[in-house]
Amino acid sequence: DYTEVLRIDPKMVNALANRGAIHYARGKFDLAMADSEAARHAPNNAGIIHQIGAIYLAKGDIDPALWGFYKPVSLAPKAARFVFSRGRAYARKGDYEKAGRDFAAAVAIDGNHADSRACLAAMEQALDAQRKRASMPAIPQQCVRDPDIRA
């Protein structure tokens, strides 16, 4: 039980992050944010900052979510999941061009990242529809849903 661990050591980063991830999975975003922010005292922990971005996105706060995804990408530029999450935030914002760039970058990092490939194709289709002023295709859920987090 992470609560017991945190009673002993209230600043244990892994326990805070893991408990925050559990709260996130249960949809308790305020509790998830509190634990994640408390864990942020670990300098330059890309996973914690990504987790905070994911919580903002789940709450519908896209611009703070983007901040939460930019920093991890700069800290771990070869982590496809961080780039993919930022693409999801752009897709949810309706910026399909930036989303497409991020999905393409995630594919370049990890050619087996199937969601990135699917979302890249969806963004290309959406941009094509915008250029032709045609009706927008439905954006697949995997391109806009809340990111998976793991501490």
Side-chain angles (χ1 to χ4, degrees):
D1 180 348
Y2 292 115
T3 301
E4 184 61 22
V5 172
L6 291 167
R7 187 186 63 72
I8 297 165
D9 183 356
K11 292 191 178 231
M12 182 178 267
V13 172
N14 288 341
L16 286 163
N18 289 337
R19 189 172 71 177
I22 290 168
H23 289 314
Y24 174 86
R26 293 179 177 162
K28 298 178 178 180
F29 302 128
D30 291 337
L31 292 172
M33 185 64 81
D35 281 346
S36 300
E37 286 286 355
R40 208 168 108 188
H41 70 270
N44 296 325
N45 185 319
I48 296 295
I49 299 167
H50 175 264
Q51 185 165 311
I52 291 168
I55 295 164
Y56 275 122
L57 191 60
K59 293 172 74 171
D61 296 331
I62 296 173
D63 289 328
L66 283 167
W67 167 87
F69 298 138
Y70 265 96
K71 184 72 172 174
V73 169
S74 70
L75 293 170
K78 297 295 182 190
R81 73 184 181 108
F82 294 158
V83 180
F84 179 67
S85 291
R86 188 175 66 190
R88 279 181 167 164
Y90 278 124
R92 193 174 297 176
K93 189 173 185 173
D95 191 335
Y96 303 132
E97 189 172 318
K98 287 181 180 176
R101 280 198 300 262
D102 277 345
F103 295 143
V107 168
I109 294 166
D110 179 359
N112 294 319
H113 200 275
D115 281 344
S116 292
R117 285 190 179 279
C119 292
L120 176 58
M123 294 307 106
E124 289 169 351
Q125 207 176 22
L127 287 168
D128 190 48
Q130 280 181 341
R131 282 189 290 276
K132 293 178 181 174
R133 291 187 171 78
S135 61
M136 288 294 291
I139 302 298
Q141 263 314 105
Q142 77 238 42
C143 303
V144 294
R145 73 173 179 245
D146 299 333
D148 298 325
I149 58 172
R150 51 183 176 262

